[in-house]
Amino acid sequence: MSAFDTILIANRGEIACRIIRSARALGYRTVAVYSEADAGAPHCEQADLATCIGPAEAKQSYLNAEAIIAAAKRTGAQAVHPGYGFLSENAAFAEACARAGLVFIGPPASAIAAMGNKAAAKRRMIEAGVPCVPGYQGEDQSDEALLREAERIGLPVMVKAAAGGGGRGMRLVQDKAALLPAIQAARSEAENAFGSGELILEKAVIDGRHIEIQVFADSHGHVIHLGERDCSVQRRHQKVVEEAPSPAADAALRSRMGEAAVAAAKAIGYVGAGTVEFLLDADGRSFYFLEMNTRLQVEHPVTEMVTGLDLVALQIRVAAGEALPLKQDEAVLTGHAIETRLYAEAPHQGFLPQSGLLAAWQPPEGLGIRVDHGLRAGQTITPHYDPMIAKIIAYGLTRDEARRRLIAALERTVALGIETNRGFLIDLLKHEEFAAGRASTRFIPQHFAAPARPAADDGLLAAAALLWFEHSAASLGHDPARAWSSTGRMAWPLLLDDGQAKRKLQIATLGPDRYQVEDKLLHVVQRRPDALRVAIDGTECDIAYCFVGDDLHLASGGADLTCRDVTYQLPGAAEAAAERELRAPMNGKIVAVLAAEGDKVKKGQRIVVLEAMKMQHEMVARADAVIDKLPVKVGDQVASRQLLAALTPNEVAKQP
């Protein structure tokens, strides 16, 4: 038995909060670690102790093994839970914990190493008799060898980074002419992301499903599986929606996949929680090993909800030397659970990650609803880490009950101040292909390849007019209810910019809390500091809102709206400002400055490159211009809307 009473959580955000919850329930003392960017974050407040481990950049904090082990020593922690991401699948970190006398709440370093390289893992799985996708995982990594093997396998093929994950270093190739460029691009991306350019090739399975099996093993030789999760709904190889059980699996397929997953875990001497990922062919019968995640998965809550088990508590018990408390025939799945990942991103802009102030946050509640998060209103979503900010999960006795509950929960979710994929998730869940349980890995590319920005909802726009009118009146010391004329009702003009178009509206006061906006009648039934209950043309609804700087953010049901009052803005002022100034679209780090003050630049020419949330964003000139001011340099951390460059357009410079 491994004796420990204090657990350090080597992670942040929602998973740190999740681990703290189970650890405390078992009577353990918890220690949170945080970067300078996360000081005062909810996961720090929820732990018994919290200690800083370095600057905001992950390499200097959450990926700094020495800093984390030192934090464990100074806080008296005897065990470390890595969560997922960061160092969770780092064999060297697991070994370092063991050398430091710390219990690593995860598999042995040898098991992590065995599955850490896709090529080596696949060779091992073939030896263990686990079905694998036909492909190439050899040592000859020359372009010639890879081209030759791809021809042998036959197009289409997947080119994959052997050391990677998360969709990086991965390319689908369907045309022979695109093969060499894909190999070279994947190798370069893999070297930059993982420090290794080793690649493998696999026969591409088109219209397949991504199905994974949750396995659990203890140090007494017991290995079981806890059923499957369907993770087919992905964008850019990143999961968006997960569910358990899979609508494509019956008891016979579940048994066969479970047996293969258990065999995979036994082949590497696995201990703890792990996930064996498979690709289910379009025929619904053939499946192939993809990889093994030697950690807890983001989507573990759906398995917890259909099994009634606490997987984090099981991890801790197994790490303490206890035997698994159940046998394979006792692992029973009941009902259905679906999880959605709430990302700070703009789907209509190619899922561009967002950062900034989360001005309002209200997670949904209700029967069968679970929300895993580490958020609070007023918190800054930084650009330093993954853009997933919460997980919203629903359980039902049937799949459709779970789906309906999840849609309703997302409609009640309030996350204002930054853009999220909330509306996109609702659209996914409502789509007839998903509702019918037919979604494959091509679901998003086929049906949501280029999500459009939702058009402004007329009712929400009318509420925005009401709020801006009251806001303006209050700022001038006036009572909106007294905005009347002796000759009758007086209509006041408003011009609202929602980012897509400027909307001309007329608003008139009919009495206290009663307005008319264009042809819509509004009655404010109830007021709260961050929400209104409004009857619009006689139908009541709740509208959450907040003012952040010059912007008003609103949400009601599945609709969101951000707008500003530009009634008194000079015509063309916004367009002129855009040509004269480059401002940061989000918080981030300057990684390249490609011009200098005094330079003449062409329209579309790159001036500054900003890195945020693991992506690079190129800031370009919007017109031919001269750079007057360039107040940033490589390495600077900049805030959203911060000035990056001031320019004088050529047309302006030519004027006498």
Side-chain angles (χ1 to χ4, degrees):
M1 301 289 285
S2 301
F4 56 87
D5 58 29
T6 302
I7 300 171
L8 180 141
I9 296 96
N11 219 298
R12 63 180 297 279
E14 64 88 13
I15 186 56
C17 296
R18 165 72 189 90
I19 295 166
I20 289 168
R21 187 166 68 245
S22 286
R24 276 195 165 172
L26 292 174
Y28 289 97
R29 184 168 166 262
T30 59
V31 178
V33 295
Y34 63 92
S35 69
E36 292 172 359
D38 279 339
H43 77 276
C44 300
E45 296 178 350
Q46 292 176 23
D48 296 294
L49 295 175
T51 184
C52 185
I53 52 171
E57 192 173 349
K59 289 180 180 178
Q60 300 180 60
S61 52
Y62 298 107
L63 287 171
N64 187 337
E66 291 182 2
I68 290 171
I69 290 173
K73 291 294 187 181
R74 69 173 172 266
T75 57
Q78 307 100 348
V80 174
H81 195 307
Y84 45 70
F86 296 128
L87 294 169
S88 62
E89 292 182 283
N90 188 306
F93 178 60
E95 289 176 350
C97 287
R99 287 196 302 271
L102 300 170
V103 175
F104 182 76
I105 302 178
S110 58
I112 297 175
M115 289 297 183
N117 179 285
K118 287 184 174 68
K122 191 171 178 181
R123 289 192 291 267
R124 196 152 188 168
M125 291 301 99
I126 291 172
E127 292 174 4
V130 178
C132 292
V133 181
Y136 173 73
Q137 51 280 337
E139 295 181 1
D140 188 344
Q141 290 288 300
S142 65
D143 289 349
E144 294 76 17
L146 293 170
L147 288 169
R148 184 176 62 252
E149 291 298 327
E151 187 173 348
R152 176 185 63 81
I153 297 164
L155 297 179
V157 297
M158 291 295 299
V159 181
K160 291 184 177 181
R168 296 179 183 84
M170 186 181 295
R171 298 289 189 280
L172 171 64
V173 182
Q174 303 192 64
D175 179 69
K176 187 175 181 179
L179 185 57
L180 182 58
I183 288 170
Q184 294 171 341
R187 182 184 288 123
S188 175
E189 190 171 299
E191 286 173 345
N192 291 331
F194 313 115
S196 170
E198 184 180 1
L199 301 175
I200 67 171
L201 304 175
E202 291 180 343
K203 180 69 176 176
V205 178
I206 305 300
D207 275 335
R209 287 181 182 260
H210 186 127
I211 296 183
E212 59 190 30
I213 302 290
Q214 176 72 60
V215 295
F216 235 104
D218 61 26
S219 56
H220 303 277
H222 306 130
V223 185
I224 64 172
H225 72 84
L226 301 176
E228 82 283 357
R229 296 184 287 257
D230 195 315
C231 308
S232 301
V233 180
Q234 304 177 6
R235 51 127 178 88
R236 296 197 299 263
H237 306 292
Q238 298 256 337
K239 299 168 185 173
V240 178
V241 179
E242 303 101 347
E243 58 183 307
S246 168
D250 57 19
L253 179 62
R254 180 174 302 117
S255 178
R256 288 197 295 127
M257 295 182 80
E259 288 173 4
V262 168
K266 287 181 176 178
I268 59 171
Y270 202 78
V271 175
T275 302
V276 183
E277 301 198 350
F278 295 103
L279 195 59
L280 180 66
D281 207 337
D283 64 14
R285 298 184 302 275
S286 305
F287 59 90
Y288 308 101
F289 171 82
L290 286 176
E291 63 181 335
M292 183 174 185
N293 297 123
T294 53
R295 54 168 167 80
L296 194 70
Q297 290 280 82
V298 174
E299 55 272 21
H300 75 274
V302 294
T303 297
E304 293 186 323
M305 295 182 89
V306 298
T307 62
L309 298 170
D310 182 330
L311 299 192
V312 174
L314 275 182
Q315 282 186 297
I316 295 171
R317 291 185 184 280
V318 165
E322 294 183 28
L324 287 173
L326 74 164
K327 298 177 182 178
Q328 185 62 66
D329 59 2
E330 296 174 307
V332 179
L333 309 185
T334 303
H336 203 97
I338 308 176
E339 171 181 296
T340 51
R341 300 187 185 194
L342 187 68
Y343 285 103
E345 65 182 14
H348 66 280
Q349 292 181 291
F351 301 98
L352 182 71
Q354 304 291 296
S355 60
L357 181 69
L358 182 66
W361 167 246
Q362 185 178 329
E365 298 176 345
L367 184 65
I369 301 303
R370 167 176 166 177
V371 182
D372 284 11
H373 70 93
L375 302 171
R376 64 159 172 263
Q379 180 178 347
T380 297
I381 305 302
T382 78
H384 306 292
Y385 315 114
D386 190 272
M388 189 187 80
I389 58 175
K391 301 181 309 198
I392 301 173
I393 314 108
Y395 173 84
L397 292 178
T398 66
R399 182 177 186 270
D400 207 51
E401 182 176 74
R403 186 184 66 88
R404 292 194 308 270
R405 283 179 171 174
L406 187 51
I407 291 169
L410 285 163
E411 290 176 341
R412 296 194 302 272
T413 300
V414 175
L416 298 178
I418 58 172
E419 284 200 69
T420 72
N421 66 335
R422 185 179 76 98
F424 175 69
L425 293 174
I426 293 171
D427 290 342
L428 288 184
L429 296 171
K430 287 183 175 180
H431 195 280
E432 61 181 7
E433 285 293 297
F434 182 86
R438 294 193 295 260
S440 73
T441 53
R442 291 209 299 168
F443 174 71
I444 288 180
Q446 283 181 326
H447 302 289
F448 297 92
R453 185 171 189 169
D457 177 88
D458 287 344
L460 212 50
L461 198 61
L466 178 161
L467 287 163
W468 271 120
F469 178 68
E470 293 187 340
H471 182 77
S472 298
S475 68
L476 296 172
H478 299 317
D479 179 359
R482 303 178 73 85
W484 57 279
S485 166
S486 60
T487 59
R489 290 185 302 177
M490 181 180 293
W492 298 81
L494 280 174
L495 184 62
L496 301 185
D497 186 350
D498 67 1
Q500 297 182 84
K502 292 183 173 67
R503 310 300 180 99
K504 292 182 179 179
L505 301 168
Q506 297 279 343
I507 184 169
T509 302
L510 306 180
D513 290 331
R514 294 181 180 274
Y515 299 89
Q516 181 171 341
V517 179
E518 297 297 308
D519 60 348
K520 292 191 175 297
L521 298 176
L522 281 72
H523 173 211
V524 180
V525 178
Q526 185 181 13
R527 293 179 183 269
R528 298 191 298 275
D530 55 358
L532 298 176
R533 180 78 175 176
V534 181
I536 302 176
D537 289 339
T539 301
E540 292 188 17
C541 63
D542 290 310
I543 296 174
Y545 73 92
C546 64
F547 288 92
V548 180
D550 295 331
D551 292 321
L552 169 63
H553 303 271
L554 307 93
S556 180
D560 292 280
L561 175 66
T562 297
C563 65
R564 57 179 53 188
D565 183 358
V566 294
T567 306
Y568 301 107
Q569 188 180 81
L570 294 175
E575 291 78 7
E579 289 189 359
R580 289 174 175 272
E581 297 177 341
L582 289 185
R583 292 186 176 273
M586 63 187 71
N587 296 353
K589 179 180 179 180
I590 303 299
V591 295
V593 176
L594 305 172
E597 291 182 359
D599 283 0
K600 295 180 180 179
V601 294
K602 296 288 186 182
K603 180 179 180 180
Q605 184 174 331
R606 296 185 303 158
I607 298 175
V608 173
V609 180
L610 176 74
E611 185 176 78
M613 290 181 169
K614 304 179 182 179
M615 294 181 66
Q616 292 190 353
H617 313 279
E618 297 180 345
M619 309 301 298
V620 302
R622 295 186 177 89
D624 293 353
V626 176
I627 298 178
D628 297 324
K629 189 176 181 182
L630 198 58
V632 294
K633 62 183 183 299
V634 173
D636 284 356
Q637 297 286 343
V638 297
S640 177
R641 302 293 302 153
Q642 182 173 329
L643 181 70
L644 304 181
L647 308 94
T648 298
N650 284 357
E651 294 303 316
V652 176
K654 291 176 183 176
Q655 293 178 7

